[in-house]
Amino acid sequence: MDAAGHQVPDPYATTGVPQLGLRNYWYPVLAGWRLRRKPRAIKILGEEIVLYRDAGKIYALSDRCPHRGARLSQGKCLYPGSGTVSCPYHGWTFAGETGQCIAKIMEGPDAALPRRSHVKAYPVREHLGAIWVFVGDMEAVPLSDDLPECLADTNTWHGFSTWRTYRCNWRILKDNLCHDLHAPFLHRNAPELLLQPIFPYAAQISATPLKGGKGIGYSARDGISSAEYPGLGAFPPPQESWYRVLKPVGRGQEVGAAAPAVAKYGYQFRQSSLLPGITLIGRPSGNYFTCRWVTPIDADTTLYYSFSMFRRRGRLQTLRDRLAWIFWLSWMHDWLFSEQDKRILEKVVPGRELLSRSDIGVVAWRRFAVAHARRPPDVTSEPAANDEPALHSTAAE
Ligand code: FES
Ligand SMILES: [Fe+2]
């Protein structure tokens, strides 16, 4: 929908990147502390899911009772410790592990419980303070298969996470994170960059498949920090350049390619895009990564999960890292930078694009995602079970 509520054609129709996200992956969906025993409704990749916690374990079921369609998220854990949730309408009660209906409370203990009376159960985990759900059409892979090393290995890394909801399709947000040279322009007056010379722009961007086939890495060569434009004058213009008093840092380096310290830890690039919608950006030291995970909610809404990860280097350094995040990085990266992007992305007018040289990284990501996204192995179809209930009950409503 556009701002006026009109249906607009899918601007990505020709790219093949699916509107509701790449299925068959794990996604972070909710901070763990936000889920207690009371069931909670979430939506991810367009699927409505109820999450609940019982006896310390988290369950995720499809949020629609197969009986007459009530929301299980309006129900409750009527039998604490059983791992079940009961529908608020007539009390059908579902096992969290399997989604099977194990009691139709209002029909008595002898009620038939055909196989059909189940809801989909989603694989769910809690890790790094977040709840992760696998959405797809195949058996879940281990969560660690989908995590970059800095999120998977908590013995080596510690960190924080934040989240925001964007009112735009996930592809618009993911494209924004593809090293498209918007940063030197859009973020040039963010407090962190305000006093620095403009980041090199007009650089030659390239994208390279990563070893392991899970994504692409970006690098950018050359670039300029100022130039004269015929008929306009200089960029940055004089009113924006006088306060850029800091010395250039790291200029002349290849931006994005892994510095030796990063490469030492096995990272090929400082910035990369990973399936299913992850952007990993590291510091030259290799001791800090920000991992931005784009979780599609529906066609017009996206959850932006941001993990700031620090390499464990002793207690004192851990304390310093924590303070740096609390007093600077959280505000700078997770709030101000993303607010600048959010303001633009939520107003993007979907339609035909006129891609240009600086969009090489965006195009490479779209192509990679379509070609390499995980697909379920071929499934042989089972004969449909004939488990219709015998509809001869005379019970009154
Ligand atoms: S709608 Fe759920 S028990 Fe009837
Ligand atoms: Fe940005």
Side-chain angles (χ1 to χ4, degrees):
M1 293 277 186
D2 65 12
H6 303 124
Q7 199 73 39
V8 294
D10 180 2
Y12 286 80
T14 54
T15 69
V17 183
Q19 186 178 46
L20 289 177
L22 300 173
R23 300 176 65 76
N24 308 306
Y25 286 93
W26 289 92
Y27 289 91
V29 298
L30 189 74
W33 61 265
R34 298 178 73 197
L35 182 69
R36 308 257 179 225
R37 210 167 76 218
K38 187 173 174 346
R40 186 168 182 138
I42 61 158
K43 198 196 262 187
I44 163 175
L45 277 66
E47 300 193 13
E48 316 252 18
I49 296 173
V50 53
L51 292 175
Y52 62 98
R53 192 192 287 274
D54 184 34
K57 196 165 171 2
I58 296 176
Y59 301 95
L61 297 176
S62 173
D63 192 14
R64 181 183 183 277
C65 177
H67 179 215
R68 278 170 45 203
R71 294 247 178 228
L72 296 181
S73 53
Q74 291 181 297
K76 56 157 55 168
C77 300
L78 210 52
Y79 300 96
S82 66
T84 63
V85 64
S86 298
C87 177
Y89 203 3
H90 314 90
W92 285 27
T93 296
F94 299 88
E97 291 283 1
T98 60
Q100 184 60 42
C101 176
I102 57 169
K104 296 176 179 173
I105 301 289
M106 286 299 98
E107 295 185 18
D110 298 332
L113 301 169
R115 262 178 45 199
R116 181 170 292 188
S117 59
H118 75 280
V119 292
K120 180 174 178 179
Y122 293 81
V124 58
R125 301 274 181 281
E126 193 166 14
H127 176 72
L128 275 178
I131 297 171
W132 303 73
V133 174
F134 183 89
V135 177
D137 317 296
M138 58 183 276
E139 199 168 320
V141 301
L143 172 59
S144 56
D145 279 15
D146 286 351
L147 300 178
E149 179 257 354
C150 62
L151 295 194
D153 182 2
T154 51
N155 291 325
T156 308
W157 297 88
H158 69 98
F160 298 89
S161 57
T162 57
W163 61 90
R164 304 190 75 177
T165 303
Y166 280 52
R167 296 270 154 220
C168 67
N169 186 264
W170 77 281
R171 298 166 298 188
I172 292 175
L173 177 51
K174 181 63 193 91
D175 285 353
N176 166 258
L177 297 161
C178 285
H179 197 11
D180 64 354
L181 295 183
H182 79 271
F185 196 80
L186 177 61
H187 300 305
R188 69 189 187 280
N189 286 329
E192 191 179 7
L193 304 179
L194 190 63
L195 303 181
Q196 297 187 28
I198 296 276
F199 270 22
Y201 60 93
Q204 304 285 331
I205 294 175
S206 56
T208 311
L210 298 174
K211 291 176 203 148
K214 290 186 176 177
I216 54 175
Y218 302 109
S219 49
R221 280 184 297 106
D222 306 326
I224 51 179
S225 287
S226 63
E228 287 290 325
Y229 290 81
L232 293 175
F235 179 80
Q239 71 272 21
E240 289 191 14
S241 57
W242 64 269
Y243 48 76
R244 298 187 182 278
V245 293
L246 294 183
K247 285 213 167 78
V249 178
R251 299 297 147 130
Q253 284 182 359
E254 201 171 12
V255 179
V262 183
K264 179 178 85 182
Y265 295 117
Y267 289 88
Q268 289 171 268
F269 296 91
R270 274 172 50 199
Q271 182 170 351
S272 50
S273 280
L274 308 174
L275 294 166
I278 305 167
T279 303
L280 196 60
I281 304 173
R283 288 252 177 80
S285 67
N287 292 325
Y288 171 80
F289 277 92
T290 170
C291 176
R292 293 145 187 218
W293 201 304
V294 171
T295 297
I297 294 178
D298 58 26
D300 305 311
T301 325
T302 304
L303 180 65
Y304 181 41
Y305 231 102
S306 178
F307 299 88
S308 298
M309 303 306 297
F310 301 88
R311 189 178 296 280
R312 292 187 191 277
R313 290 176 290 155
R315 280 202 185 156
L316 188 61
Q317 187 60 44
T318 296
L319 179 65
R320 275 199 207 125
D321 291 339
R322 287 180 176 269
L323 292 174
W325 188 85
I326 290 166
F327 292 108
W328 178 247
L329 289 172
S330 59
W331 177 64
M332 185 58 52
H333 287 156
D334 293 4
W335 185 257
L336 289 180
F337 265 54
S338 68
E339 187 60 32
Q340 289 178 325
D341 289 314
K342 192 171 188 286
R343 197 167 51 86
I344 302 295
L345 301 182
E346 291 188 338
K347 298 285 185 196
V348 163
V349 181
R352 191 170 168 271
E353 299 171 313
L354 196 55
L355 297 174
S356 194
R357 202 182 86 185
S358 60
D359 300 307
I360 285 171
V362 174
V363 172
W365 157 252
R366 293 174 179 177
R367 286 187 182 150
F368 183 88
V370 171
H372 296 273
R374 184 180 289 140
R375 288 175 179 83
D378 282 346
V379 280
T380 50
S381 52
E382 287 182 14
N386 184 9
D387 52 10
E388 278 288 353
L391 295 177
H392 50 64
S393 166
T394 53
E397 284 193 351

